[in-house]
Amino acid sequence: MFITFEGPDGSGKSTQIRRLKEYLEQQGCQVLVTNEPGDTAIGAQIRDLLLNPIYKGITPETEALLYAADRAQHVRQVVKPALAEGKVVICDRYIDSTIAYQYFGRQLSGEFMGTITKYAIDGLMPEATVILELSPEAAEKRYTQRAQAKQADYDVPDRLEQERAEFKERVNQGFKYMAENYSHRIITIDASGTIDQVWDAILAGLKERGVLC
Ligand code: TMP
C-alpha cells in the first residue's frame, strides 16, 4: 500500500505521518516512511540544488526536471522495492506537489509536466493521498515557528519558502483543484485544528475509504 501526504510547508505533515506509522505498526504492518525530494544519496544532493537559497536563478524547467530526477531515483531505489516486500510506504510529498508547485505555481505546460512525470513515476500512483489544507498565512506562521526551533534545512527560509505570496496562492489553488477532481484518491483534511483533531480526521477519512481497518 502506497499512501502520500501533501500540503503547504508548515501544514503538519511530519507529525501526522509519525502518528499514522505508529497506528499501522500497532495493526501489525511493516511501514516505511520516506519523503521527496531528498531520500536517496543522489536525492539529497538534488534537494540542496532545489532548496538552497543561493541558487536563485534556477529556471522553472530546470526546477521541474530536478524534482522529476529525484522522483525517478526514489521510486525505483526506495519505494517500489519496499512495496514489493509487502511494506506500507508513506511518502511525504509526491506527484500532487509537482502538480501544485510546478504546474499551478510555475505555470509550466501540461505537455511538458505530463511527459516528465510519466517517466519519473514509472506507473506508480498512490492508493490514497491525504492533503492537509491550511491557508498560506497560517502555514507561514507555523513554519516561522519551525525555523525558530531550528528544524529547518537552512538558517534562512529555503528557496521555495521565499517565494512571493502569489506563487503560494497558486500552489494552494493547485491542491484545491486536485482534491476536487481526484476525490476517489484524495482525502482533504482541515489542518488548522489541534494535532489530535487533525489525526482523528485523517483516521476517519482513511477508514471511510476502506484504506485502513
Ligand atoms: P519539504 O520541505 O516538505 O520536504 O518540501 C520541499 C519543498 O519542495 C516544498 O516547498 C515543496 C517543494 N516541492 C515541489 O515544488 N515539487 C515537488 O514535486 C515536491 C516533491 C516538492
Side-chain angles (χ1 to χ4, degrees), residues 41-174:
I42 288 168
Q45 305 282 317
I46 297 174
R47 182 179 174 91
D48 185 55
L49 292 175
L50 280 163
L51 299 183
N52 196 322
I54 64 171
Y55 302 124
K56 275 204 179 357
I58 190 167
T59 72
E61 290 78 8
T62 309
E63 178 182 288
L65 287 162
L66 285 171
Y67 278 111
D70 171 75
R71 184 160 303 141
Q73 187 69 29
H74 184 229
V75 162
R76 291 160 179 82
Q77 185 185 325
V78 177
V79 183
K80 283 195 167 185
L83 292 171
E85 286 171 16
K87 292 184 180 152
V88 177
V89 178
I90 309 173
C91 190
D92 185 342
R93 297 194 184 281
Y94 192 61
I95 187 167
D96 299 292
S97 278
T98 301
I99 295 166
Y101 285 81
Q102 280 68 55
Y103 180 60
F104 279 83
R106 299 289 184 221
Q107 301 179 305
L108 286 164
S109 84
E111 191 199 355
F112 173 66
M113 291 311 304
T115 304
I116 63 173
T117 300
K118 176 170 170 268
Y119 288 102
I121 68 171
D122 196 26
L124 182 68
M125 281 298 288
E127 269 101 338
T129 297
V130 176
I131 294 187
L132 296 181
E133 204 174 40
L134 197 63
S135 70
E137 300 74 38
E140 179 118 21
K141 207 166 146 193
R142 285 213 198 150
Y143 68 66
T144 307
Q145 287 164 354
R146 189 177 65 184
Q148 280 161 356
K150 302 229 178 294
Q151 289 164 328
D153 287 20
Y154 307 99
D155 292 341
V156 291
D158 72 38
R159 194 176 58 82
L160 288 201
E161 287 165 351
Q162 287 185 21
E163 274 295 337
R164 287 163 301 132
E166 299 91 86
F167 174 81
K168 289 179 181 165
E169 189 44 46
R170 286 200 298 274
V171 170
N172 206 25
Q173 291 308 320

